[in-house]
Amino acid sequence: MSLDVATWTRVTELFEQLVELPPVQREQVLESSRPEPVVREWLDKLLCAHESSDECLIDHTVLGVVGELESSTNAAADHETRRPALPERIGPWRLAGEIARGGMGIVVRAERDDGQYQQQVAIKLLRARSLDAAEQRMLQQELRLLARLEHPGIARLIDGGVSEEGLPYIVMEYVAGEPIDEWCNRHGVDLDQRIALVEQVCEALAHAHRRLVVHADIKPANVLVDEQGRVRLVDFGIAGLLAESDSAAVRTELRCSPAWCAPEQLAGESPDASQDIFATGALLRRLLTGRRMRSGQAITCWLAGQSGDYQPPAPPSTEALDILAPQRLRGDLDAICLRALQADPQQRYVSMNALRADLERWRQGHMVSARPLSPIGRCGRFLRRHPLPVAASTVAVLALVVGFTSATINARQARLAATQAQTEAMRADAVRDFVLDLFRAADPLRQGGAELSTREVLAGAVETLDANAKLPPEVRVQILNLLSDVQRSLGGYDDAEELLARAENVLTKTPDLPVLLRAETRFQQALLAEKLSDRERARESLTEAARLLADPNERSAVELRARIEIELALNASRSSEPERAETHFDTAQHLLATLQPPELDIEKLLHGNRGVAAYRAGDYERALDEMRQTLAIQQQLGNAEQGAIVTTLSNLAAIEAQLGRLDEALDYDRRALAIARQAFPEGHMLIGRRLYSLGDTLRQRGEFDAALEALAEARRIQQAADLPAQVELIDLTRARTLLAMGRFDEAADLAAETGQAMAAREGPLAGEVLLLLDFELAALHALDDPLLAERLMLAEQRLASAIEAERVGGHGRRLALTLAAIALDRGDPARAGRWLALHGDRSAFEAGDVPLIALSLELRRRVYINEPAATTGLAERLQHALNESTLTAETRAHAWCALAEVAAAGNQGRRLAVALDELEQLAASETTDAPSRRMIERMRAALDETGTS
Amino acid sequence: MSTRDPASADHGETQARLERVYQSLRGIARRERARNPSQTLNTTVLVHEAWLKLEQSRTDLASDNHLMATFALAARQILVDYARRRAAVKRTHSEDYEAFELGDRQTRTIEDILAMEQALEQLEALDDRLARLVELRFFVGCTLEEAADCLDISHRTATRDWTRARAFLKTVLT
C-alpha cells in the first residue's frame, strides 16, 4: 500500500486526466495508458474516494474539531470560540449592531430603549460563560469601582451586569473615534500635537490610578481620538475584569496585548500602575516611530522564559517617522520614552503624573527629569523591592477578592518579601517609597498641588476604606492588615494597633470569615508586639496564628504558616532558646518543602534567619552553610535581589572572619562592596556599612593602612548621613586599628572620645564602651602614660558595676584580661587574680583565643606568686594548644611570654630559648599587633633584668 | 466603548476566523501547559509568535504567506501534540487526567486527528505542497483562495491540488 514519489507522480498525472471524465471514457484512457498494477490500484482508490459522498474528516476544519474537543474539556474556559447568539436587548438597551469581535468578547452598539431619552452606548458582552453567584457579586463590585472613573478622557461606564441569558456585559459610553496612531497619521499631526495627545492619555490614566484602577491594556486600539480631537480611553479595566474570572492557572496566561504590554505583564504579573506607564511609553514610541513595542520574535523569547533579556528599544530619534524631525526627538524625548519603557518597573516613572509632567516640560522647552538609570532610580528600585513579611500572602487573597482594582497595591506588595538583617530605617524607606509610588498620582486639585505625605496617603487609604461601606468584610480585613503592616513598618505603631483592632472587630462580628484571615491578623499583631518589645505577647499571637493554621492545605496558608514558624523561631532565638528555635525552623522548612513550585522568597527568609540564629548561638559552620544557601536562592531570584545579596555577602564575610578565614572574608567583603556601589547611589549609608566591614576585615588581616582608608571613607559617608551610631562603630574600629599599628597616642585619644560618646548614648556599661576602655588602657599602658592610673580606676569601677548588674559580655571579659595583664606588669598578682577569676577556673582547659590568653595570664600569675609546681601541667597544655593554626598573634604572644616566664622560673634553659625564639619571630612578624610587640619587649626586658637569660 | 470603521468585509471575516482559531488553540495550549509546563511551551510559543506576526500585518492579513503557513504549522503541532497525549493517557489510564473524561465523540475526534496526522505525513513525503495546502485549509480554516494566495499558486492549481489531496486523504483515512 505504500507509495513512492515516482508512483505518486504517475498516479496523480492520470488522476488529473481521469477525474474530469465520465467513467466510460476513463476506461478508455486506462486501456491506452496501461498503468502498472500499483498505479492502477491507487488510481481506483483515489477516484473512488473522490466520487464517494461519505463525509470525511478532511471536509471539516480545525474549528469543528476543536469544538468537539472543547465540549468535554474545561468547558467553561474556552467558550470564546463560540459565537453567542446575540439577544435583542439587554436590560433597557436595544442592541443595534455588532461593532467588533475579539478574544475578550463582542462589542455591540446599542440604544436606550425606554423612550425617555436617546443615548447611544457600546455594550461589551464578555466571553460567554455563566458566572456563579460569588462571581456575579464580584463583577458588580468591579463595575462599581469602574463607575467611579469620571474623566473627560475616559469613556464612561454606564451600566453592567449579567443578562438574562447569563452573559456578563458592560455598558459603556459610545465613542465615535479612531485609534490614536491612525488618527495621527491620517491627519499628519505634528510632533507637539502628538506629545499633547499622550499627555491627555497620562492625565486620564492618572485619574484612574488615583482611584486605584489600572487600565492594563493600553494600546492604540484602546486610545481613541474623537471628533473633537480629544483622547478617549476605552476598555478600562476590562483586562483585569476578565483575568478575574479565570482560574489561577489561566490567570498567568497572557491576557494583555503582547505587542504593547510591559514585560512583567507578559510574565503573568497582576496589572499594576507601572504597567500602564510602560504601555503609555509604548504608545508614545508608536506615535514617534510607527513601531510596535516588540516583534513576534521578541515575544517568543519572553514566552520561552527568557524574560531577563528584555532590552529597551533603540532611542526613538534613531527610527523616527519620516514626517517628524529626528533632531527634535534626540535627547529629551528619547530619554522620556526610554524611561517609561524600562524593563524594571521601579526604574520607570513613579507615576503617570511624572511622565505627563516630563512631556509637558519638554513641550515648554524645560529640562526633563528622565535620566535613565540614575543612581536615585537604582536606589529606589532596591528600596521598593525591599521586603515585608506578610505581603505575599496578603496579596494572593486580596487579588482573588477585589481583583485588578486593588492590583496597584497587590503587585507592589507581592514583590515585597522579607530578608533578615536589614535596618529598620531601610524598611521604612522601602515602604514609604512603595506608598508614595502608589499614590504619587495624588490629585493636584484636591491637594492644592501639594505632594501628599505618606501619612496623608495612608489616611486617604483608610478614608477610602471607610467610604466603601459595601466592601465585603474579608476584603476589609485584608486591607486593614495590609495598612497596619505598612504603618508598623513606618513606625506608626499606634495607628497600626488601631487598624488591627478594627480588623479584629470585623473578625469578631463575622465569625465565618476564612481562618487564613484570622491567622494573618494574629500574625500582624505578633509583628507589632515584637516591635513594641512585648516578646511574650508576640509569642502568644504567633502561637494562636499557628494553631489557626494547624493543618494548612492551600498554598497561601502554607506560606503564611511557614512565615509564622520563622517568626516563632526568631522569637525563641531572641529569648535565647536555641532548641525551640530549631524546632520552629524545622517546621517551616518542612512546610516549605511541600510547596511546588518552591516559594523562594520565604525559603530565603528561612535560611537567612537560620544563619543569623546559628551565628548568634556560636555555630559558625552551620551559619556559613545556611548563609550560602541564602545566597544561592538570591542568585536564583535574580537582579531584584541585588541589594539583599549585599547583606548576605556581608554576613558571609562576618562568619568567615569569625572562623579565622580572612581570605574568604575579604573576598566576600569586596564582592559586597562592589555590588553595593552598583546598586546604591554614591554616599548611601549601605555603601558605608560595606566599607566598614571591609575595613574591619582588612584590620584583622593586618592590612592597617588599607583598613584606615576604607574606614575613613565609611566614616565620611555615615557622618554625612547623620548616623552617629554608625560613626561611633567606625571610630571604635579605627581606634582598634591605630592601637594595633602602634599609634598609641591617637588610639588612646580616639578610644576615650568615642567611649564618651557611646557611653552617653548607650550607657556606661554597654559592651562597646567597655571595649573602648580596654583599647584606651592598652594604649596608655603601652605608652606608660601617667593617665593610666586614673583610667584604670574608672575601668575597674565600670567592670565591677557591670559584674554586679550581670552585664558582663565578651567585651567585659576582654577588659578583665587587660586589667589582669596590667596588674601583673605593675606587680599586683592579687588584683590580677581577681580579674582572672572572672574567667573561671584556669585549670579547666578551653581552646580559643580568649581562654588561652586567660590561661597564659594565670600561668604568669602563678609564677609571680611562686607556685611553679602548679604550672607544669597547664604549661604543657598551653604549649600543645599553640598548634592550633587559627590563633591570633596576640594570643601567641601572651602564651609564649607565659611559657618563657615559666621556663625562666624553672631554669629550663632549652625551653626558655625556644620561647624567646618564638617571641622574637612574633615581634618581627608584620601581622603582630603593636601592643603584643610592646608586651614581648617588656617581657624580654624583664627577663634580662633578672639575668636569667 | 470604541467603534471604528470596519475594514472591508472579507478582511474582517478572515480576521475574526483567525482570531477564533487562535483563541481555541491558545486555550488548548494553555491547558496543556498548565498540566505539563515543559512539554507544550514550544507549541504555545509558536502559536503566539505566528499570531502576533499575523496581527502585525493586519492591514493585509492574508498576504504574508510565510506567516500564515507558520501559523498553520503551529496549529497542526498543537492539535497533534494534544491528541497524542490524550491518546497516551487513555492507554495508560494515567491518574494525571482524572478530571478529564473523554466522551465518545471526543475519543473519535482524537483518533481522527492522529489519523489525519499520519495521513498528512504520508502526503508530505509525496508532495510537500499538497501537505501545506491541507494544513492551511484544515488547521487554519483558510478558503481555497486564501490558501492559494499563501502558497503563491494559481486558484486553478489550488483547486486541482485540493482535489488530489482530498482524494488521497479520504483513501488513507477510511
Side-chain angles (χ1 to χ4, degrees):
Chain A
M1 181 84 172
S2 77
L3 261 174
D4 55 38
V5 175
T7 314
W8 171 251
T9 312
R10 183 85 183 108
V11 170
T12 49
E13 273 168 20
L14 284 167
F15 179 77
E16 203 66 41
Q17 285 180 31
L18 299 177
V19 74
E20 305 290 335
L21 301 175
V24 193
Q25 288 178 27
R26 283 182 190 169
E27 275 309 315
Q28 290 172 0
V29 176
L30 284 171
E31 288 284 309
S32 62
S33 59
R34 296 179 172 279
E36 311 151 55
V38 61
V39 174
R40 175 69 203 243
E41 190 194 337
W42 270 98
L43 261 180
D44 287 344
K45 280 184 190 162
L46 290 184
L47 288 167
C48 179
H50 179 73
E51 310 291 70
S52 151
S53 59
D54 292 351
E55 249 210 359
C56 171
L57 184 62
I58 189 63
D59 299 314
H60 296 262
T61 67
V62 69
L63 281 175
V65 174
V66 168
E68 294 284 308
L69 290 176
E70 284 180 335
S71 57
S72 76
T73 64
N74 299 13
D78 281 294
H79 274 250
E80 71 260 51
T81 57
R82 304 286 149 63
R83 184 182 276 261
L86 286 181
E88 277 190 12
R89 45 187 305 145
I90 290 177
W93 311 101
R94 193 181 59 233
L95 305 195
E98 193 170 315
I99 299 171
R101 183 178 283 263
M104 288 183 175
I106 306 166
V107 186
V108 195
R109 193 160 60 196
E111 286 160 354
R112 186 147 184 123
D113 200 23
D114 57 5
Q116 301 232 340
Y117 58 97
Q118 281 265 311
Q119 186 182 14
Q120 279 223 337
V121 295
I123 296 186
K124 188 155 201 164
L125 291 161
L126 301 182
R127 285 180 303 183
R129 129 167 148 67
S130 51
L131 303 178
D132 64 28
E135 288 169 325
Q136 291 199 15
R137 272 203 309 279
M138 218 150 63
L139 178 73
Q140 290 297 348
Q141 193 188 330
E142 299 284 2
L143 289 172
R144 271 197 300 278
L145 286 157
L146 279 180
R148 288 168 52 200
L149 298 182
E150 280 198 36
H151 190 273
I154 298 174
R156 254 177 327 119
L157 177 98
I158 294 169
D159 188 11
V162 179
S163 73
E164 282 165 24
E165 291 78 10
L167 301 179
Y169 68 93
I170 298 173
V171 183
M172 303 193 87
E173 181 186 358
Y174 175 85
V175 176
E178 192 178 351
I180 188 168
D181 51 344
E182 289 169 21
W183 190 83
C184 283
N185 291 340
R186 205 158 58 78
H187 292 84
V189 170
D190 71 15
L191 183 57
D192 290 81
Q193 265 180 288
R194 282 171 196 248
I195 299 302
L197 286 172
V198 178
E199 281 177 45
Q200 289 184 35
V201 174
C202 293
E203 274 166 30
L205 285 172
H207 170 88
H209 289 179
R210 266 196 304 278
R211 280 147 191 83
L212 297 184
V213 177
V214 295
H215 187 290
D217 195 16
I218 285 290
K219 58 180 175 182
N222 282 336
V223 180
L224 304 182
V225 181
D226 67 14
E227 284 146 358
Q228 287 79 45
R230 274 212 57 100
V231 162
R232 310 294 308 273
L233 302 185
V234 299
D235 259 7
F236 228 98
I238 308 292
L241 205 53
L242 284 171
E244 193 50 40
S245 57
D246 278 331
S247 73
V250 173
R251 196 175 304 136
T252 59
E253 188 60 40
L254 288 181
R255 53 161 182 268
C256 43
S257 302
W260 305 103
C261 71
E264 71 272 17
Q265 220 168 343
L266 278 183
E269 279 198 29
S270 315
D272 129 343
S274 70
Q275 292 163 7
D276 279 353
I277 292 173
F278 182 98
T280 308
L283 191 72
L284 173 63
R285 178 162 176 268
R286 170 76 163 182
L287 297 186
L288 298 179
T289 67
R291 288 174 191 259
R292 289 182 164 231
M293 222 18 247
R294 54 182 77 90
S295 62
Q297 186 75 42
I299 305 280
T300 309
C301 286
W302 265 310
L303 289 168
Q306 296 157 5
S307 49
D309 292 352
Y310 168 80
Q311 293 296 329
S317 62
T318 60
E319 34 188 40
L321 285 172
D322 289 342
I323 64 159
L324 305 174
Q327 63 271 23
R328 288 202 63 206
L329 272 56
R330 200 169 299 140
D332 287 348
L333 270 184
D334 282 347
I336 292 173
C337 192
L338 295 183
R339 171 95 183 265
L341 292 173
Q342 286 291 314
D344 184 337
Q346 313 304 341
Q347 291 203 3
R348 295 174 201 151
Y349 283 96
V350 295
S351 69
M352 269 297 161
N353 270 339
L355 170 56
R356 188 201 51 73
D358 247 9
L359 289 171
E360 191 184 326
R361 276 193 284 273
W362 177 84
R363 267 197 312 130
Q364 295 168 351
H366 298 313
M367 255 175 71
V368 305
S369 78
R371 280 169 302 142
L373 287 175
S374 71
I376 304 283
R378 280 200 300 257
C379 162
R381 173 185 50 167
F382 164 69
L383 288 177
R384 266 177 237 116
R385 279 184 187 286
H386 182 70
L388 274 179
V390 214
S393 52
T394 308
V395 164
V397 184
L398 200 57
L400 263 159
V401 187
V402 284
F404 78 95
T405 45
S406 55
T408 23
I409 298 179
N410 298 345
R412 283 296 147 94
Q413 278 289 79
R415 282 187 215 118
L416 308 174
T419 49
Q420 64 293 357
Q422 303 284 359
T423 65
E424 214 41 50
M426 278 197 43
R427 166 170 291 189
D429 270 358
V431 177
R432 191 187 58 220
D433 281 12
F434 141 63
V435 176
L436 282 181
D437 213 312
L438 185 60
F439 294 97
R440 192 156 271 162
D443 192 336
L445 295 173
R446 211 182 69 188
Q447 302 301 328
E451 283 262 291
L452 286 179
S453 77
T454 306
R455 301 263 176 235
E456 285 166 326
V457 167
L458 283 173
V462 175
E463 201 182 297
T464 314
L465 194 62
D466 287 340
N468 237 315
K470 283 182 186 156
L471 219 51
E474 61 268 30
V475 178
R476 194 170 290 275
V477 173
Q478 280 292 350
I479 294 178
L480 286 167
N481 284 345
L482 192 89
L483 291 174
S484 153
D485 195 18
V486 175
Q487 280 286 15
R488 191 198 67 247
S489 305
L490 287 168
Y493 301 144
D494 290 347
D495 291 329
E497 193 150 32
E498 197 204 314
L499 288 162
L500 286 177
R502 289 176 57 178
E504 183 74 52
N505 194 21
V506 179
L507 286 168
T508 316
K509 274 198 225 143
T510 332
D512 58 338
L513 283 182
V515 74
L516 185 62
L517 277 179
R518 275 169 210 286
E520 229 164 62
T521 304
R522 289 281 167 279
F523 185 52
Q524 286 295 335
Q525 285 165 342
L527 295 176
L528 182 61
E530 196 73 64
K531 269 282 152 321
L532 298 171
S533 302
D534 192 347
R535 202 170 287 158
E536 204 40 55
R537 215 187 112 206
R539 187 162 156 184
E540 275 166 27
S541 296
L542 287 169
T543 311
E544 167 72 5
R547 192 190 60 77
L548 285 168
L549 296 177
D551 195 12
N553 35 31
E554 51 182 327
R555 190 181 171 103
S556 47
V558 176
E559 286 178 13
L560 179 60
R561 176 72 194 280
R563 286 175 193 276
I564 292 167
E565 292 296 330
I566 293 171
E567 205 55 44
L568 274 166
L570 289 173
N571 185 285
S573 172
R574 287 189 199 111
S575 315
S576 305
E577 295 179 59
E579 275 153 32
R580 197 162 64 83
E582 275 300 285
T583 315
H584 288 300
F585 277 135
D586 284 343
T587 311
Q589 192 147 12
H590 174 75
L591 285 164
L592 289 173
T594 64
L595 291 179
Q596 209 45 253
E599 186 53 48
L600 291 180
D601 279 336
I602 310 182
E603 282 188 16
K604 180 187 72 182
L605 190 70
L606 171 71
H607 290 299
N609 281 319
R610 274 205 122 143
V612 171
Y615 185 87
R616 212 178 271 158
D619 187 349
Y620 301 125
E621 291 291 353
R622 173 76 190 275
L624 195 65
D625 182 54
E626 295 289 348
M627 224 35 102
R628 280 188 183 143
Q629 291 190 51
T630 312
L631 186 64
I633 294 172
Q634 288 174 316
Q635 279 160 347
Q636 225 173 315
L637 287 170
N639 290 339
E641 281 295 312
Q642 259 210 338
I645 278 181
V646 173
T647 307
T648 308
L649 288 170
S650 265
N651 286 341
L652 279 163
I655 298 166
E656 294 282 18
Q658 201 59 246
L659 286 164
R661 296 197 285 251
L662 296 176
D663 288 346
E664 285 83 350
L666 186 66
D667 185 50
Y668 280 128
D669 272 324
R670 292 225 157 106
R671 277 167 66 190
L673 178 62
I675 296 176
R677 284 203 201 270
Q678 226 172 18
F680 307 117
E682 213 179 309
H684 193 276
M685 62 89 79
L686 283 174
I687 298 179
R689 289 290 292 264
R690 302 295 68 90
L691 278 163
Y692 165 72
S693 16
L694 176 66
D696 197 38
T697 304
L698 287 168
R699 175 194 65 79
Q700 292 181 61
R701 291 169 58 86
E703 299 177 41
F704 299 130
D705 290 326
L708 284 181
E709 201 178 309
L711 292 170
E713 191 187 343
R715 191 179 198 283
R716 273 197 302 277
I717 290 173
Q718 308 299 32
Q719 181 93 52
D722 196 20
L723 295 166
Q726 292 294 322
V727 173
E728 283 157 21
L729 200 62
I730 293 166
D731 282 343
L732 181 147
T733 307
R734 284 174 64 219
R736 181 181 245 173
T737 311
L738 292 169
L739 181 65
M741 292 172 89
R743 287 157 70 172
F744 297 124
D745 272 324
E746 294 164 78
D749 288 350
L750 186 57
E753 200 180 297
T754 312
Q756 220 170 350
M758 273 198 166
R761 281 191 335 104
E762 311 265 337
L765 303 185
E768 280 81 8
V769 176
L770 298 183
L771 186 63
L772 282 161
L773 254 179
D774 185 6
F775 296 162
E776 193 190 349
L777 294 180
L780 293 173
H781 182 47
L783 287 168
D784 288 324
D785 194 291
L787 198 60
L788 180 61
E790 184 194 312
R791 302 304 281 175
L792 264 179
M793 210 150 51
L794 175 72
E796 298 204 318
Q797 279 168 8
R798 289 233 171 121
L799 192 50
S801 309
I803 292 169
E804 204 172 310
E806 293 183 352
R807 286 189 58 188
V808 187
H811 295 322
R813 293 159 73 89
R814 268 316 296 254
L815 178 60
L817 289 185
T818 304
L819 289 173
I822 294 173
L824 280 173
D825 280 348
R826 291 160 71 96
D828 190 349
R831 189 173 288 254
R834 275 211 303 282
W835 292 124
L836 280 172
L838 193 59
H839 287 265
D841 181 5
R842 283 305 90 219
S843 50
F845 174 77
E846 277 178 80
D849 286 299
V850 173
L852 287 181
I853 293 175
L855 178 57
S856 307
L857 292 171
E858 176 66 13
L859 272 172
R860 288 181 58 193
R861 188 183 69 84
R862 292 190 187 183
V863 172
Y864 205 96
I865 59 173
N866 212 2
E867 279 183 23
T871 60
T872 340
L874 287 183
E876 294 298 326
R877 273 187 242 167
L878 182 57
Q879 189 134 25
H880 186 73
L882 286 170
N883 293 330
E884 185 63 49
S885 62
T886 57
L887 296 175
T888 63
E890 184 194 11
T891 309
R892 289 175 192 280
H894 272 287
W896 285 114
C897 281
L899 290 170
E901 266 191 315
V902 170
N907 278 323
Q908 299 165 309
R910 210 179 59 79
R911 282 182 182 236
L912 179 60
V914 170
L916 287 173
D917 189 42
E918 290 284 349
L919 286 172
E920 193 173 333
Q921 281 183 29
L922 273 170
S925 163
E926 277 185 13
T927 55
T928 306
D929 60 303
S932 299
R933 271 192 218 137
R934 184 82 179 88
M935 176 172 68
I936 294 170
E937 216 174 276
R938 277 182 209 273
M939 172 63 56
R940 286 156 102 180
L943 290 173
D944 278 347
E945 214 169 275
T946 54
T948 20
S949 57
Chain B
M1 186 44 54
S2 73
T3 177
R4 329 226 304 245
D5 293 336
S8 75
D10 276 346
H11 168 61
E13 183 54 36
T14 309
Q15 169 91 32
R17 196 187 57 231
L18 273 173
E19 206 156 300
R20 286 201 301 280
V21 174
Y22 169 64
Q23 295 294 348
S24 301
L25 291 172
R26 219 187 63 167
I28 290 178
R30 79 182 171 203
R31 278 199 303 274
E32 286 297 281
R33 197 169 71 168
R35 290 199 166 93
N36 194 341
S38 60
Q39 268 190 343
T40 46
L41 179 63
N42 289 340
T43 43
T44 317
V45 168
L46 203 58
V47 76
H48 275 306
E49 180 173 19
W51 172 250
L52 287 165
K53 283 178 176 167
L54 278 173
E55 209 198 13
Q56 277 169 31
S57 53
R58 63 180 167 163
T59 45
D60 194 7
L61 194 57
S63 77
D64 196 327
N65 308 334
H66 171 69
L67 289 180
M68 191 73 107
T70 311
F71 190 62
L73 188 64
R76 176 178 165 188
Q77 279 187 12
I78 286 174
L79 272 183
V80 171
D81 279 359
Y82 172 84
R84 281 199 180 127
R85 213 159 302 116
R86 285 290 177 276
V89 166
K90 217 172 142 50
R91 275 195 300 278
T92 58
H93 301 287
S94 161
E95 303 275 310
D96 294 350
Y97 290 101
E98 9 119 32
F100 178 82
E101 278 182 33
L102 293 175
D104 282 351
R105 273 192 327 166
Q106 288 78 45
T107 308
R108 217 166 45 236
T109 310
I110 279 164
E111 283 162 3
D112 280 351
I113 293 173
L114 292 177
M116 171 65 98
E117 173 65 9
Q118 226 173 14
L120 204 49
E121 278 168 15
Q122 287 180 46
L123 186 59
E124 236 155 18
L126 297 172
D127 187 334
D128 197 55
R129 195 176 73 200
L130 296 196
R132 297 286 85 76
L133 179 64
V134 173
E135 261 170 18
L136 285 164
R137 294 219 56 190
F138 183 76
F139 287 106
V140 187
C142 285
T143 62
L144 207 49
E145 288 88 342
E146 287 167 347
D149 287 346
C150 279
L151 295 173
D152 206 15
I153 53 178
S154 72
H155 186 200
R156 208 174 139 267
T157 309
T159 311
R160 224 172 45 219
D161 279 1
W162 178 247
T163 311
R164 280 187 219 172
R166 183 171 171 274
F168 176 82
L169 292 172
K170 269 182 98 167
T171 305
V172 178
L173 285 170
T174 42

